[in-house]
Amino acid sequence: MDTRGEGAVAQAFANQVAYCAKARAPITARVVQALGTLVEGGVPGAFLDRIRRWEGAPLADALPLRAAGGIHALRLADTERALGAIYRGEPADDIDLIGGAIANHEAALLPWLDGPPQTNEAGRSASFMAAMLWLADRGLPARYECLEIGSSAGINLMMDRYTYNLGGVHAGAADPVMAFAPEWHGAPPPDRPVSFAALKGCDVAPVDLTDPDQALRLRAYIWPEHTVRFQRMDAAIAAAKDRAPDLAQMNAAQFVEAELAKPQDSRTTRVLMHSIVWQYVPKDQQARVTAAMEAAGERATAERPLAWIALEADRTVHRHALKVRYWPGGEAARQLAWSHPHGADIEWLSNG
């Protein structure tokens, strides 16, 4: 994940192609493959040159998806109609079409390399909910105060407004704005009632779902094969207009340290949660978050426990691992499931 230097860019594009194929995203795989070929082929231009000369760790920085998001934005804005063949899944000369799009819109594409993708996906909240059911079954209070880092537009901060069918176990809102029923493999999670005391999050560059331009940027990062995700985005925009998520502009370490310093209600489980974000958090902030959680864990009690739910990529298997720690009593990380990156399926591993 953190490889950099000679060969790292090519490796990152190859890994992303395999990752997309595993996640049933053949169109995105085509786009990333063509971009990688153009980069390796020495085609001139500022956009491709910047990718070639990437100084960071291209896989950890999600460089292939930054570039692919820019290409998809051209398609969504209908400014490069020739790309339509690729995004319709038709046979085409992908390298020629994407190379032409880059040549025609290089100035518009360059800013897409400036920051990591905003891959805000409501389907990932199904994994969060499954983990919360498991925590409740372990005896932690099933009233959750949720703290999310890397919240992007805060779509998962509205998970109290969603409903879930998790292997036949139903949880969530009675009158939901979205419903999730991921393809389930393995035993079902525990069936426990769950409620939310609060849901709040942070992002270094939060996205306002009610701003059409910012919403378009989020749509550009949606893999076009997964059409249900566009429907979910529309539902999330409507929900945010009705009641905005509680989202602050802060970095992960500052947010976690500040929130953990606040008083915690009795019979409430405080939860740090994040999905596909840890790789973007600078190493010094990762260390601060971990130290703050472990220090708070030492103070945790059965009446005021602490938990950490992480859904992060394992690039060796091109899946996402759902892992949980909790205090007191569950300090060692435990993997509960494997998940599709956007929540399409969940393989439950835990039997207790």
Side-chain angles (χ1 to χ4, degrees), residues 66-115:
R66 297 186 192 204
I71 298 297
H72 193 200
L74 296 178
R75 168 60 181 162
L76 291 175
D78 203 27
T79 55
E80 187 67 26
R81 295 188 176 183
L83 293 171
I86 297 174
Y87 285 98
R88 290 190 297 270
E90 300 169 359
D93 186 336
D94 298 351
I95 295 171
D96 181 66
L97 292 179
I98 291 177
I102 293 170
N104 293 337
H105 303 282
E106 194 163 55
L109 287 170
L110 278 166
W112 288 86
L113 302 178
D114 291 343

Side-chain angles (χ1 to χ4, degrees), residues 188-203:
D191 190 351
R192 295 286 184 271
V194 167
S195 65
F196 294 92
L199 289 133
K200 63 178 66 175
C202 75
D203 199 277

Side-chain angles (χ1 to χ4, degrees), residues 30-344:
R30 282 177 66 177
V31 173
V32 174
Q33 179 71 66
L35 283 164
T37 300
L38 288 164
V39 170
E40 288 299 298
V43 176
F47 181 73
L48 295 173
D49 282 344
R50 186 172 172 195
I51 294 172
R52 290 185 190 104
R53 298 166 184 164
W54 198 256
E55 294 182 356
L59 190 56
D61 293 341
L63 179 60
L65 293 182
R66 297 186 192 204
I71 298 297
H72 193 200
L74 296 178
R75 168 60 181 162
L76 291 175
D78 203 27
T79 55
E80 187 67 26
R81 295 188 176 183
L83 293 171
I86 297 174
Y87 285 98
R88 290 190 297 270
E90 300 169 359
D93 186 336
D94 298 351
I95 295 171
D96 181 66
L97 292 179
I98 291 177
I102 293 170
N104 293 337
H105 303 282
E106 194 163 55
L109 287 170
L110 278 166
W112 288 86
L113 302 178
D114 291 343
Q118 293 278 13
T119 53
N120 212 192
E121 172 49 50
R124 294 172 184 159
S125 66
S127 289
F128 289 156
M129 177 58 79
M132 291 177 194
L133 294 173
W134 183 86
L135 287 168
D137 194 57
R138 306 295 286 185
L140 279 70
R143 180 176 184 262
Y144 292 102
E145 175 199 338
C146 299
L147 309 172
E148 186 186 31
I149 58 174
S151 297
S152 185
I155 289 176
N156 286 315
L157 294 175
M158 299 188 287
M159 65 176 291
D160 59 331
R161 294 181 249 179
Y162 308 155
T163 193
Y164 307 88
N165 178 351
L166 306 173
V169 171
H170 296 269
D175 185 22
V177 299
M178 271 190 269
F180 299 96
E183 182 181 320
W184 196 269
H185 304 278
D191 190 351
R192 295 286 184 271
V194 167
S195 65
F196 294 92
L199 289 133
K200 63 178 66 175
C202 75
D203 199 277
V204 293
V207 176
D208 180 0
L209 279 174
T210 64
D211 181 327
D213 290 336
Q214 294 186 54
L216 175 62
R217 184 174 179 84
L218 281 185
R219 286 191 172 96
Y221 288 122
I222 294 176
W223 294 356
E225 304 88 341
H226 302 160
T227 54
V228 68
R229 296 181 65 202
F230 291 94
Q231 298 165 15
R232 291 174 183 170
M233 184 62 67
D234 290 340
I237 291 170
K241 288 180 179 178
D242 180 61
R243 175 162 49 94
D246 188 353
L247 181 58
Q249 184 171 5
M250 296 177 71
N251 72 42
Q254 292 170 339
F255 177 76
V256 171
E257 290 166 349
E259 292 299 323
L260 292 181
K262 295 177 180 178
Q264 180 177 344
D265 290 344
S266 179
R267 299 299 302 163
T268 299
T269 299
R270 179 172 278 172
V271 178
L272 172 65
M273 62 188 197
H274 53 84
S275 60
I276 330 304
V277 70
W278 196 245
Q279 70 191 65
Y280 305 129
V281 178
K283 292 291 189 283
D284 64 322
Q285 289 187 42
Q286 289 183 9
R288 285 171 58 188
V289 169
T290 301
M293 287 294 289
E294 292 178 346
E298 292 179 359
R299 303 189 298 270
T301 66
E303 289 291 309
R304 293 177 175 83
L306 178 69
W308 188 347
I309 302 173
L311 180 66
E312 297 293 341
D314 184 331
R315 289 282 178 166
T316 64
V317 295
H318 309 299
R319 295 281 280 172
H320 289 72
L322 175 65
K323 296 183 179 181
V324 176
R325 299 176 69 184
Y326 67 90
W327 296 264
E331 291 82 0
R334 176 162 177 176
Q335 184 173 348
L336 302 184
W338 290 110
S339 173
H340 180 277
H342 309 124

